[in-house]
């Protein structure tokens, strides 16, 4: 297997045994980016300083010092996660030249890693195909005519094509899991509050979550070990102490109660995808899992809740972009109003403007009760559904996406169709529960993701089940023809 | 209730975004199916349901009132042309 497709555990051992230097490793990744990213379009910024960082790790190994399991491993970051001294554009013209004065907490927690670049995304995380970036369109590594999903499409494509060993994405309504499913990689949206959001450029503050995108479950658990944990800089961070998420991976699923919610297997889902998920469930049953049919009656209202809450929060969060302290600024104006309007009109793209308008509409005095507050009330019912169901089962299994990866340009003109790409993922954000997507097979040579959801802070069992799915599925043969 | 051109114009004023007539037309076409769908949401009885704005209650994490290092001024002002000394300056 090519070096750039190896798993983190193998790479760590090679570094430790001095079979490979961190500089060689980083050079391999940078060369691969150089060779194929023009076709793929996963990266917006490449970090040239990564080689000197790698040399520092080599010196440490040379001195015989201990290196941590993740240390020196090249990774990438979705470009809405703030990095000091490196641009953070959010895929928007608004932040074309923006350099954050501080690192996000997750970046601080990965300081011993080698950041090779910042990845492409739908502008400010708003989209499901990475076609809404102001800079480029990212392609799906399995078929360059298809989208990689979104909004963390750059991260998922980079991981799937060996352009880094792991990436961090953000998930507001499925933006980690849907691209992970489309690109054939593992994507985890942790419980809301488990990973600090400090330094993540906010889209929907009560929904946003940072999480790992990796090529296998062990790597996912390892990255979660590093990025999770309480942070006083984020008032929504939850203090639950540190855990080692790699520990229980091999526990197996014997005796685990797995719920199959019928609302996630409706007519709008591609039948072939449904069949694949049912196959996975049957295999898990053979391994001793107890399969239970369950109901989540308010599932279908997720769309209503999500678009009221996410767009309202987006309209608030994006009100900070006035071009004065940072961001796009056209210094030709007669009054303040004109300055704000110029900057926001020229800085934001079409999808962002749409979301701001929809969200502002939900929040104006005459509509507040009808839209935003109503959305928040329905949210209560959706949360109640999950709380009830998790009294009966440990985990839930569903498809991650209703369709296979779609063609570039196919849905961009149809907002409803595009929004429906997230129909199976949004309720995990609305309720704050952990949810992971793992590839479970291929249809028409395109990967299919199965989604595993758990109760609050039950990442361990979600990962254990994912590990079992991975064992049953076997190794993925990555597309090396790029 | 659909979202019409005048409503979009009013919202744009609040949101400080300027749209051309063509853009307003396009947004009206795109947003109306969503707004109509939202308006059709009256089948649920929400009379006695409390809204949830946050999944978990968050508490302000206070720290000791000690002077700590703040952001580096040069890093902060590097993102603007509107600087005078250590102030952001714009025409009123």
């Amino acid at each position: 297997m090519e070096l750039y497709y190896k798993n983190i555990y193998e790479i760590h051992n090679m570094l430790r045994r001095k079979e490979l230097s961190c500089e060689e490793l980083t050079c391999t990744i940078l060369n691969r980016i150089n060779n194929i990213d023009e076709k793929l379009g996963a990266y917006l910024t490449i970090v040239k300083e990564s080689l000197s960082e790698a040399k520092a790790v080599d010196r440490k190994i040379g001195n015989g010092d201990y290196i941590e399991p993740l240390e020196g491993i090249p990774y990438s970051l979705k470009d809405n996660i703030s990095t000091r001294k490196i641009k953070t554009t959010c895929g928007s013209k608004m932040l074309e030249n923006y350099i954050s004065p501080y690192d996000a907490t997750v970046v601080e927690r990965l300081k011993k890693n080698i950041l090779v670049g910042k990845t492409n995304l739908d502008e400010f995380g708003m989209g499901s195909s990475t076609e809404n970036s102001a800079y480029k369109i990212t392609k799906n590594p399995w078929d360059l005519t298809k989208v990689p999903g979104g909004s963390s499409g750059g991260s998922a494509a980079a991981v799937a094509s060996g352009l880094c060993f792991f990436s961090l994405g953000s998930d507001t309504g499925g933006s980690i899991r849907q691209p992970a499913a489309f690109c054939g990689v593992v994507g985890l949206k942790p419980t809301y509050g488990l990973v600090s959001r400090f330094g993540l450029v906010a889209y929907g503050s009560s929904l946003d979550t940072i999480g790992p995108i990796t090529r296998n479950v062990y790597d996912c658990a390892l990255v979660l070990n590093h990025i999770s944990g309480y942070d006083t800089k984020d008032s929504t961070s939850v203090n639950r102490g540190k855990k080692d998420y790699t520990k229980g991976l091999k526990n197996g699923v014997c005796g685990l109660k797995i719920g199959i919610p019928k609302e996630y297997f409706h007519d709008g889902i591609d039948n072939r995808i449904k069949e694949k998920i049912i196959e996975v469930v049957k295999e898990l049953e053979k391994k001793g899992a107890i399969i239970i049919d369950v109901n989540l009656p308010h599932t279908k209202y997720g769309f209503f809740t999500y678009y009221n809450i996410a767009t309202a929060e987006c309209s608030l969060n994006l009100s900070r972009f006035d071009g004065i302290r940072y961001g796009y600024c056209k210094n030709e104006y007669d009054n303040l109003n004109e300055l704000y309007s110029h900057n926001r009109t020229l800085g934001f793209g079409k999808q962002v403007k749409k979301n701001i308008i929809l969200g502002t509409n939900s929040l104006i005095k005459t509509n507040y009760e009808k839209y935003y507050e109503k959305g928040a009330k329905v949210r209560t019912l959706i949360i109640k559904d999950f709380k009830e169901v998790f009294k009966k089962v440990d985990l839930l299994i569903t498809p991650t996406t209703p369709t296979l990866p779609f063609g570039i340009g196919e849905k961009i003109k149809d907002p409803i169709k595009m929004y429906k790409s997230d129909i199976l993922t949004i309720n995990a954000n609305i309720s704050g529960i952990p949810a992971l997507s793992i590839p479970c097979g291929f249809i028409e040579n395109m990967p299919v993701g199965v989604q595993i959801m758990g109760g609050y802070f039950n990442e361990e069992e979600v990962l254990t089940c994912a590990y079992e799915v991975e064992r049953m599925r076997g190794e993925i043969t990555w597309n090396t023809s790029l | 209730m659909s979202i019409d051109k005048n409503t979009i114009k009013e919202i744009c004023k609040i949101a400080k975004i300027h749209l051309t007539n063509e853009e307003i037309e396009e947004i009206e076409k795109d947003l109306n199916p969503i707004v109509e769908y939202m308006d059709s949401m009256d089948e649920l009885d929400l009379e006695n349901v409390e809204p949830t704005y946050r999944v978990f209650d968050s508490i302000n994490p206070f720290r000791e009132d000690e002077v700590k290092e703040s952001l580096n001024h040069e890093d902060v002002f590097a993102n603007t042309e509107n600087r005078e000394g250590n102030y952001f300056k714009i025409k009123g």
Side-chain angles (χ1 to χ4, degrees):
Chain A
M1 185 191 276
E2 293 82 356
L3 182 65
Y4 45 78
Y5 274 129
K6 286 190 182 299
N7 65 45
I8 294 173
Y9 183 74
E10 284 175 289
I11 295 288
H12 170 71
N13 284 331
M14 288 170 82
L15 288 172
R16 219 169 30 91
R17 295 191 202 117
K18 298 183 188 171
E19 292 164 14
L20 169 77
S21 75
C22 191
E23 190 180 354
E24 284 173 282
L25 176 69
T26 307
C27 266
T28 303
I29 296 294
L30 291 174
N31 286 340
R32 181 150 173 85
I33 293 171
N34 207 23
N35 292 339
I36 69 163
D37 200 45
E38 205 167 319
K39 273 188 280 187
L40 196 68
Y43 282 94
L44 290 174
T45 304
I46 304 299
V47 181
K48 293 185 181 71
E49 297 76 18
S50 52
L51 276 177
S52 57
E53 302 269 336
K55 285 174 190 166
V57 175
D58 284 333
R59 280 194 295 276
K60 202 172 164 181
I61 295 167
N63 293 338
D65 293 348
Y66 166 80
I67 59 161
E68 290 172 22
L70 209 57
E71 201 166 334
I73 305 290
Y75 80 108
S76 67
L77 275 175
K78 186 176 182 178
D79 205 18
N80 61 350
I81 298 172
S82 300
T83 41
R84 194 166 176 246
K85 296 182 180 168
I86 302 158
K87 279 202 299 185
T88 302
T89 69
C90 290
S92 177
K93 285 284 174 207
M94 176 60 86
L95 294 175
E96 191 167 7
N97 300 308
Y98 174 69
I99 296 180
S100 166
Y102 55 85
D103 276 327
T105 296
V106 290
V107 177
E108 278 181 6
R109 290 183 180 174
L110 294 172
K111 265 288 173 253
K112 291 177 178 171
N113 287 78
I114 311 297
L115 176 64
V116 289
K118 306 285 295 284
T119 56
N120 196 22
L121 67 157
D122 286 299
E123 188 177 2
F124 285 101
M126 297 175 199
S128 310
S129 66
T130 316
E131 291 169 289
N132 291 325
S133 166
Y135 299 102
K136 54 171 78 166
I137 287 177
T138 303
K139 322 277 193 314
N140 189 307
W142 298 95
D143 177 347
L144 297 177
T145 67
K146 301 273 197 289
V147 301
S151 62
S152 312
S155 285
V159 172
S161 48
L163 302 185
C164 57
F165 290 93
F166 71 92
S167 190
L168 295 188
S170 68
D171 192 311
T172 307
S175 284
I176 287 174
R177 290 159 288 152
Q178 186 253 21
F182 277 10
C183 292
V185 290
V186 176
L188 169 70
K189 178 208 97 66
T191 304
Y192 182 83
L194 184 71
V195 176
S196 170
R197 291 184 300 114
F198 178 78
L200 170 70
V201 180
Y203 164 13
S205 309
S206 77
L207 307 158
D208 292 342
T209 316
I210 293 176
I213 296 174
T214 60
R215 282 192 293 271
N216 65 69
V217 178
Y218 181 87
D219 290 358
C220 179
L222 195 57
V223 175
L224 186 63
N225 281 354
H226 280 74
I227 62 172
S228 60
Y230 183 58
D231 179 21
T232 52
K233 291 178 184 163
D234 172 6
S235 65
T236 59
S237 170
V238 179
N239 193 352
R240 308 257 316 172
K242 285 295 266 183
K243 272 183 190 170
D244 180 355
Y245 292 98
T246 61
K247 267 204 168 131
L249 289 180
K250 294 178 182 172
N251 287 353
V253 293
C254 190
L256 270 186
K257 290 178 186 155
I258 296 176
I260 310 300
K262 74 169 174 47
E263 292 82 0
Y264 282 75
F265 291 82
H266 57 75
D267 294 344
I269 319 284
D270 185 325
N271 279 328
R272 297 165 303 170
I273 293 178
K274 279 193 258 189
E275 281 162 22
K276 275 264 179 257
I277 308 306
I278 297 302
E279 275 172 40
V280 170
V281 171
K282 282 180 180 161
E283 287 297 315
L284 288 169
E285 193 168 26
K286 282 182 198 163
K287 300 276 179 190
I290 301 152
I291 308 300
I292 302 167
D293 287 331
V294 294
N295 286 73
L296 292 161
H298 295 94
T299 298
K300 66 174 179 181
Y301 303 115
F303 187 70
F304 171 83
T305 302
Y306 179 75
Y307 279 97
N308 275 309
I309 290 172
T311 57
E313 291 181 357
C314 139
S315 125
L316 292 175
N317 280 320
L318 270 61
S319 64
R320 74 187 59 153
F321 293 99
D322 53 20
I324 294 169
R325 293 148 301 142
Y326 48 78
Y328 184 94
C329 188
K330 188 169 180 280
N331 267 325
E332 295 162 24
Y333 57 95
D334 291 327
N335 56 56
L336 268 184
N337 242 338
E338 212 176 88
L339 170 73
Y340 298 146
S341 293
H342 270 323
N343 296 343
R344 290 166 64 79
T345 301
L346 297 168
F348 290 141
K350 204 182 285 183
Q351 183 60 38
V352 172
K353 287 175 189 167
K354 260 187 234 173
N355 277 7
I356 291 173
I357 289 164
L358 199 56
T360 309
N361 185 53
S362 294
L363 289 172
I364 53 178
K365 205 171 163 185
T366 47
N367 288 343
Y368 181 87
E369 273 182 35
K370 190 169 57 162
Y371 295 131
Y372 182 61
E373 191 183 63
K374 199 170 176 183
K377 284 182 173 188
V378 180
R379 186 180 201 171
T380 304
L381 300 177
I382 291 168
I383 291 171
K384 195 162 158 262
D385 279 357
F386 280 117
K387 281 184 175 167
E388 287 302 311
V389 98
F390 283 122
K391 287 177 188 168
K392 295 179 207 145
V393 298
D394 302 303
L395 300 170
L396 295 166
I397 284 194
T398 75
T400 308
T401 61
T403 66
L404 293 175
F406 43 89
I408 289 166
E410 192 183 315
K411 292 190 183 181
I412 198 83
K413 291 259 182 274
D414 188 337
I416 292 276
K417 258 190 186 166
M418 186 67 91
Y419 289 155
K420 288 200 168 164
S421 308
D422 294 337
I423 202 81
L424 304 171
T425 48
I426 49 181
N427 284 333
N429 299 81
I430 287 166
S431 58
I433 59 171
L436 173 147
S437 179
I438 178 167
C440 62
F442 285 76
I443 295 169
E444 291 176 1
N445 299 320
M446 293 309 282
V448 176
V450 56
Q451 180 173 232
I452 304 164
M453 297 191 261
Y456 293 127
F457 302 102
N458 193 10
E459 276 76 5
E460 285 123 311
E461 279 179 344
V462 169
L463 287 159
T464 302
C465 183
Y467 192 79
E468 196 62 57
V469 171
E470 192 173 70
R471 269 204 294 210
M472 292 173 342
R473 183 204 66 209
E475 287 286 324
I476 284 183
T477 307
W478 299 102
N479 181 11
T480 50
S481 67
L482 284 163
Chain B
M1 192 191 85
S2 63
I3 188 165
D4 60 19
K5 289 186 185 65
N6 286 335
T7 309
I8 293 172
K9 278 180 191 167
E10 281 308 304
I11 289 169
C12 283
K13 273 187 208 163
I14 299 167
K16 305 276 186 281
I17 288 170
H18 177 78
L19 295 179
T20 63
N21 287 337
E22 292 79 45
E23 285 171 326
I24 288 175
E25 247 170 64
E26 190 187 333
I27 282 195
E28 182 187 28
K29 194 162 64 83
D30 282 352
L31 294 190
N32 261 324
I34 299 166
V35 173
E36 277 162 24
Y37 163 79
M38 286 177 173
D39 284 343
S40 71
M41 263 291 304
D42 52 9
E43 58 196 82
L44 283 174
D45 178 12
L46 299 168
E47 190 64 39
N48 298 312
V49 180
E50 283 298 311
T52 300
Y53 298 110
R54 287 189 198 91
V55 177
F56 304 119
D57 291 333
S58 57
I59 303 153
N60 280 327
F62 291 107
R63 62 172 174 87
E64 290 304 310
D65 187 11
E66 293 161 350
V67 176
K68 285 194 164 190
E69 204 180 333
S70 61
L71 293 175
N72 176 296
H73 278 178
E74 294 313 308
D75 286 353
V76 170
F77 285 111
N79 288 301
T80 186
E81 290 172 15
N82 307 307
R83 180 182 187 176
E84 187 165 306
N86 280 342
Y87 294 94
F88 293 98
K89 189 183 176 185
I90 45 162
K91 283 189 288 185

